[in-house]
Amino acid sequence: MNQVVLITGGSSGIGKAIGEFLHHKGFVVYGTSRNPDKITNSIFPLLALDVRNTESIAHAVAEVIRVSGRIDIVINNAGVGITGPLEEIPTSEIKANFETNFFGPIEVMKAVLPQMRKQRSGLIINITSIAGYMGLPYRSVYSASKGALSIITEALRMEVKSFGIQITDVAPGDFATNIASGRYHAPVVAGSAYEIPYQNTLNMMDEHVDSGSNPEEMAQAICAIIQNPKPNVHYKVGLFMQKFSIVLKRTLPDKVYEKLLMNHYKL
C-alpha cells in the first residue's frame, strides 16, 4: 500500500519540491494551499488549508481520510519569514508570525493525531530552521517561532511514541526559494537608530536565499527520513557552515559565539 502524505504549504518552494519528489517515488501526496484554485501547475492534489484556521485544517484532514482512508505522513512545512528590529516590529505582526509558524503546526498535529493513534502508526515531520537554533539579529521573531516548534517536537515525540507515532523536525538552512518575497519586512525607517545595520542585514539575507541550495536536497532528505523506521529527534539540512554554526554555538562560550555572529553581520 502506497503511503499517504499530507504536506502543508505544498504549492511552492520546499513544500512543492518535497511533494513532487515523493509523488515520483510512488507516495500518495496531498499538498495544501490557502488558495489552491490559483495554482495550475501542481502534479499532486492541492487542498484548501490555512494553518491559522482550525476549521480549514479539520476539513483538509477529513478529506484526505475520506479519499485515502488513512494518513501516514504529515509534513508541517507552511511557514512565513519575518524581519526587523524587534523594537520596530508591530506586536500584531509578531503574533501573526507565531500563528503561522508555531500555533498552526500544533493545530495540524492535533487534527491528525487521532487518526494516527487509530492506525497505531504515523510520522510527523516539522520543518523548522537552522535559524531556530540561535537568536539572529533582525530575525528574532523568526528564530523564536522556529525554535519553539523544535522544542514542541521534542516533547510531543515522547508523548505519542507509545501509540506507534514518530515525530521529528528538519531544520533547513538557506534554500533557493521565494521565501524572501513572502516575508514580512518591518520597514527600514529613515533616521532610525537601526536604519543602516538593518538594511545591511536585509541585503545579506536576500543574497543568502538567492544563492541557497537546491530545494530537491530537502526533498531527498525527507524521503530518507520517511524510510527510517526510527528517525532521529532532529535533522539539519544545508551548507556545511550553516550546520557547523550549531556545533559552534554548543561548544563556544556564549560571548565568543555572539561576537562571531556580530562580525558576520557586520554589527
Side-chain angles (χ1 to χ4, degrees):
M1 183 184 301
N2 292 346
Q3 290 182 296
V4 178
V5 184
L6 175 63
I7 306 172
T8 66
S11 63
S12 63
I14 287 175
K16 181 180 180 181
I18 293 170
E20 290 178 346
F21 190 88
L22 295 181
H23 172 82
H24 289 306
K25 290 290 185 181
F27 291 84
V28 178
V29 177
Y30 296 89
T32 76
S33 170
R34 284 180 292 178
N35 300 292
D37 294 340
K38 295 182 179 180
I39 311 298
T40 59
N41 61 347
S42 180
I43 64 173
F44 48 86
L46 288 176
L47 305 175
L49 187 152
D50 184 341
V51 296
R52 302 166 301 179
N53 184 311
T54 54
E55 186 175 337
S56 78
I57 294 171
H59 285 167
V61 169
E63 180 64 9
V64 174
I65 296 171
R66 184 189 71 80
V67 175
S68 294
R70 60 189 296 111
I71 297 180
D72 297 297
I73 300 149
V74 170
I75 301 172
N76 264 320
N77 169 72
V80 291
I82 183 170
T83 65
L86 184 62
E87 184 181 349
E88 296 179 357
I89 301 175
T91 300
S92 60
E93 292 293 344
I94 296 173
K95 291 180 178 179
N97 186 267
F98 268 76
E99 285 293 336
T100 298
N101 288 0
F102 180 63
F103 293 109
I106 289 175
E107 292 301 327
V108 172
M109 289 189 285
K110 286 184 175 182
V112 301
L113 281 172
Q115 176 64 28
M116 289 183 170
R117 273 203 315 276
K118 181 180 178 181
Q119 298 166 183
R120 299 294 299 178
S121 67
L123 170 64
I124 297 173
I125 301 174
N126 291 325
I127 305 299
T128 56
S129 174
I130 286 178
Y133 281 86
M134 60 204 72
L136 295 177
Y138 305 110
R139 297 180 73 184
S140 57
V141 177
Y142 184 75
S143 289
S145 65
K146 289 298 189 177
L149 181 58
S150 181
I151 293 297
I152 282 284
T153 300
E154 291 181 1
L156 185 59
R157 176 183 166 96
M158 293 183 281
E159 294 176 10
V160 301
K161 187 169 289 190
S162 64
F163 307 131
I165 302 169
Q166 299 281 353
I167 302 183
T168 185
D169 82 64
V170 181
D174 292 318
F175 280 83
T177 69
N178 62 350
I179 187 172
S181 62
R183 178 191 293 149
Y184 170 80
H185 293 286
V188 179
V189 179
S192 163
Y194 304 103
E195 177 186 2
I196 295 175
Y198 175 37
Q199 183 63 69
N200 291 341
T201 302
L202 272 181
N203 296 340
M204 183 181 296
M205 285 190 288
D206 290 343
E207 289 172 7
H208 288 172
V209 171
D210 292 340
S211 61
S213 304
N214 189 326
E216 189 166 310
E217 292 180 27
M218 269 292 287
Q220 293 171 346
I222 293 294
C223 189
I225 292 167
I226 290 172
Q227 294 169 339
N228 185 345
K230 295 182 179 180
N232 296 336
V233 182
H234 301 294
Y235 293 89
K236 296 89 177 173
V237 181
L239 299 175
F240 171 79
M241 285 307 300
Q242 292 171 349
K243 294 185 287 186
F244 189 57
S245 67
I246 300 173
V247 177
L248 291 177
K249 180 174 173 59
R250 289 173 175 166
T251 55
L252 294 176
D254 289 344
K255 288 185 177 180
V256 174
Y257 188 76
E258 179 185 66
K259 185 64 175 177
L260 285 176
L261 283 180
M262 294 187 73
N263 288 340
H264 176 73
Y265 287 100
K266 300 178 173 60
L267 298 176

